[in-house]
Amino acid sequence: MRVTRMKNAKRVLLYYKTRFGIEPPFKILIDGNFVHVAVEQKIMIQQLLDRMLKTVKLYTTGCVLHELELLGKAFSGAFKIASGFRLLKCGHEGSPIAPSECLRSLLGETNPKGFFIATQDRTLIETVRAMPGVPLLRINYNLIIVEQPSEVSKEIAAEAERAKYRPSPGELERLAAADNAAAAPRPKRKRPLAPNPLSMRKKQKTLDG
């Protein structure tokens, strides 16, 4: 089962690498509920992701830490672990927002920095699935799984592949010019006039007297 899971993860990583250019070291953006569930399931996040993805950097934001701190003692273990991740500037310093909105804002429209999202938040999961090129990590029982690419990601990737074989605007102009040239009527060539057959007859010799 573990071998199958690792193979599936490798296939998904290869897909995101070839279709969206997401390469190691993989940047994992983690929210508080993912860390909390990991603590409950006794999952060592860094160690397990290192085995699955080989090279990872774990990030969180001030908004995530703020929420975990507000949740109190029950989430103190998650707060302690999340505080050890790299802190990513999210632009909400001084006025924290909901972590799901915070992480969504860091993805932009096309996830240009190639973040993975690690979450158990149902709203954020559905948001990520609706975006192209955002790998999603979830905890299922005591395992971290790399979710298969969403239908949106597959469609965007397929369209990009089809676009490779379409002629560029310059090529279309050249093709149109060639078609117009082929369709234009050709001027008729003047055929040389045939010689007068009478002029080609040998002159008859005249007999004297």
Side-chain angles (χ1 to χ4, degrees), residues 6-20:
M6 291 298 185
K7 285 183 178 180
N8 288 338
K10 286 182 179 179
R11 279 196 292 267
V12 174
L13 294 179
L14 181 60
Y15 180 90
Y16 281 109
K17 178 181 178 180
T18 56
R19 302 300 197 280
F20 296 97

PDB file of all heavy atoms in Angstrom, residues 6-20:
ATOM      1  N   MET A   6       3.340   5.984  -2.786  1.00  0.00           N
ATOM      2  CA  MET A   6       4.526   6.717  -3.226  1.00  0.00           C
ATOM      3  C   MET A   6       4.559   6.852  -4.751  1.00  0.00           C
ATOM      4  O   MET A   6       4.918   7.895  -5.285  1.00  0.00           O
ATOM      5  CB  MET A   6       5.790   6.001  -2.739  1.00  0.00           C
ATOM      6  CG  MET A   6       6.002   6.064  -1.240  1.00  0.00           C
ATOM      7  SD  MET A   6       6.208   7.760  -0.642  1.00  0.00           S
ATOM      8  CE  MET A   6       6.576   7.466   1.086  1.00  0.00           C
ATOM      9  N   LYS A   7       4.150   5.794  -5.450  1.00  0.00           N
ATOM     10  CA  LYS A   7       4.115   5.855  -6.912  1.00  0.00           C
ATOM     11  C   LYS A   7       3.095   6.871  -7.387  1.00  0.00           C
ATOM     12  O   LYS A   7       3.345   7.625  -8.343  1.00  0.00           O
ATOM     13  CB  LYS A   7       3.793   4.467  -7.487  1.00  0.00           C
ATOM     14  CG  LYS A   7       4.953   3.485  -7.431  1.00  0.00           C
ATOM     15  CD  LYS A   7       4.576   2.165  -8.076  1.00  0.00           C
ATOM     16  CE  LYS A   7       5.746   1.204  -8.067  1.00  0.00           C
ATOM     17  NZ  LYS A   7       5.392  -0.106  -8.690  1.00  0.00           N
ATOM     18  N   ASN A   8       1.939   6.891  -6.742  1.00  0.00           N
ATOM     19  CA  ASN A   8       0.908   7.878  -7.099  1.00  0.00           C
ATOM     20  C   ASN A   8       1.416   9.291  -6.883  1.00  0.00           C
ATOM     21  O   ASN A   8       1.184  10.184  -7.708  1.00  0.00           O
ATOM     22  CB  ASN A   8      -0.357   7.641  -6.271  1.00  0.00           C
ATOM     23  CG  ASN A   8      -1.117   6.407  -6.700  1.00  0.00           C
ATOM     24  OD1 ASN A   8      -0.970   5.940  -7.835  1.00  0.00           O
ATOM     25  ND2 ASN A   8      -1.928   5.861  -5.810  1.00  0.00           N
ATOM     26  N   ALA A   9       2.110   9.500  -5.759  1.00  0.00           N
ATOM     27  CA  ALA A   9       2.661  10.828  -5.466  1.00  0.00           C
ATOM     28  C   ALA A   9       3.673  11.233  -6.534  1.00  0.00           C
ATOM     29  O   ALA A   9       3.680  12.380  -7.000  1.00  0.00           O
ATOM     30  CB  ALA A   9       3.310  10.835  -4.084  1.00  0.00           C
ATOM     31  N   LYS A  10       4.516  10.308  -6.961  1.00  0.00           N
ATOM     32  CA  LYS A  10       5.516  10.610  -7.988  1.00  0.00           C
ATOM     33  C   LYS A  10       4.857  10.987  -9.309  1.00  0.00           C
ATOM     34  O   LYS A  10       5.310  11.898 -10.003  1.00  0.00           O
ATOM     35  CB  LYS A  10       6.451   9.406  -8.186  1.00  0.00           C
ATOM     36  CG  LYS A  10       7.453   9.219  -7.068  1.00  0.00           C
ATOM     37  CD  LYS A  10       8.368   8.031  -7.356  1.00  0.00           C
ATOM     38  CE  LYS A  10       9.391   7.863  -6.245  1.00  0.00           C
ATOM     39  NZ  LYS A  10      10.293   6.696  -6.493  1.00  0.00           N
ATOM     40  N   ARG A  11       3.782  10.273  -9.657  1.00  0.00           N
ATOM     41  CA  ARG A  11       3.073  10.591 -10.899  1.00  0.00           C
ATOM     42  C   ARG A  11       2.467  11.990 -10.850  1.00  0.00           C
ATOM     43  O   ARG A  11       2.520  12.741 -11.827  1.00  0.00           O
ATOM     44  CB  ARG A  11       1.980   9.545 -11.163  1.00  0.00           C
ATOM     45  CG  ARG A  11       2.501   8.267 -11.799  1.00  0.00           C
ATOM     46  CD  ARG A  11       1.366   7.454 -12.398  1.00  0.00           C
ATOM     47  NE  ARG A  11       0.490   6.921 -11.358  1.00  0.00           N
ATOM     48  CZ  ARG A  11       0.634   5.721 -10.809  1.00  0.00           C
ATOM     49  NH1 ARG A  11       1.624   4.939 -11.191  1.00  0.00           N
ATOM     50  NH2 ARG A  11      -0.206   5.297  -9.881  1.00  0.00           N
ATOM     51  N   VAL A  12       1.875  12.329  -9.692  1.00  0.00           N
ATOM     52  CA  VAL A  12       1.270  13.657  -9.551  1.00  0.00           C
ATOM     53  C   VAL A  12       2.349  14.741  -9.623  1.00  0.00           C
ATOM     54  O   VAL A  12       2.178  15.767 -10.287  1.00  0.00           O
ATOM     55  CB  VAL A  12       0.482  13.760  -8.233  1.00  0.00           C
ATOM     56  CG1 VAL A  12      -0.009  15.188  -8.022  1.00  0.00           C
ATOM     57  CG2 VAL A  12      -0.694  12.798  -8.245  1.00  0.00           C
ATOM     58  N   LEU A  13       3.467  14.518  -8.953  1.00  0.00           N
ATOM     59  CA  LEU A  13       4.562  15.505  -8.973  1.00  0.00           C
ATOM     60  C   LEU A  13       5.100  15.687 -10.379  1.00  0.00           C
ATOM     61  O   LEU A  13       5.389  16.812 -10.807  1.00  0.00           O
ATOM     62  CB  LEU A  13       5.688  15.053  -8.037  1.00  0.00           C
ATOM     63  CG  LEU A  13       5.355  15.001  -6.548  1.00  0.00           C
ATOM     64  CD1 LEU A  13       6.566  14.519  -5.762  1.00  0.00           C
ATOM     65  CD2 LEU A  13       4.902  16.353  -6.038  1.00  0.00           C
ATOM     66  N   LEU A  14       5.239  14.586 -11.120  1.00  0.00           N
ATOM     67  CA  LEU A  14       5.713  14.681 -12.496  1.00  0.00           C
ATOM     68  C   LEU A  14       4.735  15.461 -13.356  1.00  0.00           C
ATOM     69  O   LEU A  14       5.126  16.260 -14.220  1.00  0.00           O
ATOM     70  CB  LEU A  14       5.925  13.275 -13.071  1.00  0.00           C
ATOM     71  CG  LEU A  14       6.451  13.209 -14.505  1.00  0.00           C
ATOM     72  CD1 LEU A  14       7.817  13.892 -14.617  1.00  0.00           C
ATOM     73  CD2 LEU A  14       6.535  11.757 -14.980  1.00  0.00           C
ATOM     74  N   TYR A  15       3.451  15.249 -13.116  1.00  0.00           N
ATOM     75  CA  TYR A  15       2.419  15.971 -13.861  1.00  0.00           C
ATOM     76  C   TYR A  15       2.559  17.475 -13.639  1.00  0.00           C
ATOM     77  O   TYR A  15       2.573  18.267 -14.598  1.00  0.00           O
ATOM     78  CB  TYR A  15       1.036  15.498 -13.415  1.00  0.00           C
ATOM     79  CG  TYR A  15      -0.108  16.174 -14.126  1.00  0.00           C
ATOM     80  CD1 TYR A  15      -0.630  15.654 -15.297  1.00  0.00           C
ATOM     81  CD2 TYR A  15      -0.660  17.347 -13.617  1.00  0.00           C
ATOM     82  CE1 TYR A  15      -1.677  16.278 -15.955  1.00  0.00           C
ATOM     83  CE2 TYR A  15      -1.710  17.973 -14.268  1.00  0.00           C
ATOM     84  CZ  TYR A  15      -2.212  17.437 -15.432  1.00  0.00           C
ATOM     85  OH  TYR A  15      -3.250  18.072 -16.081  1.00  0.00           O
ATOM     86  N   TYR A  16       2.658  17.894 -12.381  1.00  0.00           N
ATOM     87  CA  TYR A  16       2.765  19.326 -12.090  1.00  0.00           C
ATOM     88  C   TYR A  16       4.091  19.910 -12.580  1.00  0.00           C
ATOM     89  O   TYR A  16       4.159  21.091 -12.928  1.00  0.00           O
ATOM     90  CB  TYR A  16       2.589  19.578 -10.595  1.00  0.00           C
ATOM     91  CG  TYR A  16       1.146  19.561 -10.166  1.00  0.00           C
ATOM     92  CD1 TYR A  16       0.624  18.526  -9.392  1.00  0.00           C
ATOM     93  CD2 TYR A  16       0.282  20.575 -10.549  1.00  0.00           C
ATOM     94  CE1 TYR A  16      -0.707  18.511  -9.011  1.00  0.00           C
ATOM     95  CE2 TYR A  16      -1.061  20.564 -10.167  1.00  0.00           C
ATOM     96  CZ  TYR A  16      -1.536  19.530  -9.397  1.00  0.00           C
ATOM     97  OH  TYR A  16      -2.863  19.522  -9.038  1.00  0.00           O
ATOM     98  N   LYS A  17       5.108  19.088 -12.627  1.00  0.00           N
ATOM     99  CA  LYS A  17       6.400  19.574 -13.138  1.00  0.00           C
ATOM    100  C   LYS A  17       6.329  19.816 -14.637  1.00  0.00           C
ATOM    101  O   LYS A  17       6.743  20.872 -15.134  1.00  0.00           O
ATOM    102  CB  LYS A  17       7.504  18.559 -12.820  1.00  0.00           C
ATOM    103  CG  LYS A  17       8.867  18.966 -13.371  1.00  0.00           C
ATOM    104  CD  LYS A  17       9.922  17.914 -13.060  1.00  0.00           C
ATOM    105  CE  LYS A  17      11.273  18.299 -13.656  1.00  0.00           C
ATOM    106  NZ  LYS A  17      12.321  17.285 -13.358  1.00  0.00           N
ATOM    107  N   THR A  18       5.808  18.842 -15.383  1.00  0.00           N
ATOM    108  CA  THR A  18       5.788  18.955 -16.840  1.00  0.00           C
ATOM    109  C   THR A  18       4.720  19.916 -17.340  1.00  0.00           C
ATOM    110  O   THR A  18       4.903  20.595 -18.345  1.00  0.00           O
ATOM    111  CB  THR A  18       5.566  17.579 -17.486  1.00  0.00           C
ATOM    112  OG1 THR A  18       4.352  17.000 -16.977  1.00  0.00           O
ATOM    113  CG2 THR A  18       6.720  16.647 -17.185  1.00  0.00           C
ATOM    114  N   ARG A  19       3.578  20.017 -16.638  1.00  0.00           N
ATOM    115  CA  ARG A  19       2.481  20.859 -17.112  1.00  0.00           C
ATOM    116  C   ARG A  19       2.522  22.287 -16.555  1.00  0.00           C
ATOM    117  O   ARG A  19       2.103  23.222 -17.239  1.00  0.00           O
ATOM    118  CB  ARG A  19       1.124  20.236 -16.736  1.00  0.00           C
ATOM    119  CG  ARG A  19       0.894  18.833 -17.275  1.00  0.00           C
ATOM    120  CD  ARG A  19       0.932  18.766 -18.800  1.00  0.00           C
ATOM    121  NE  ARG A  19       0.345  17.552 -19.308  1.00  0.00           N
ATOM    122  CZ  ARG A  19       0.943  16.372 -19.366  1.00  0.00           C
ATOM    123  NH1 ARG A  19       2.173  16.234 -18.894  1.00  0.00           N
ATOM    124  NH2 ARG A  19       0.337  15.316 -19.878  1.00  0.00           N
ATOM    125  N   PHE A  20       3.032  22.423 -15.317  1.00  0.00           N
ATOM    126  CA  PHE A  20       2.979  23.741 -14.677  1.00  0.00           C
ATOM    127  C   PHE A  20       4.336  24.237 -14.182  1.00  0.00           C
ATOM    128  O   PHE A  20       4.416  25.303 -13.576  1.00  0.00           O
ATOM    129  CB  PHE A  20       1.980  23.726 -13.516  1.00  0.00           C
ATOM    130  CG  PHE A  20       0.562  23.488 -13.950  1.00  0.00           C
ATOM    131  CD1 PHE A  20      -0.001  22.221 -13.891  1.00  0.00           C
ATOM    132  CD2 PHE A  20      -0.216  24.527 -14.439  1.00  0.00           C
ATOM    133  CE1 PHE A  20      -1.305  21.988 -14.299  1.00  0.00           C
ATOM    134  CE2 PHE A  20      -1.528  24.312 -14.849  1.00  0.00           C
ATOM    135  CZ  PHE A  20      -2.067  23.046 -14.782  1.00  0.00           C
TER     136      PHE A  20
END
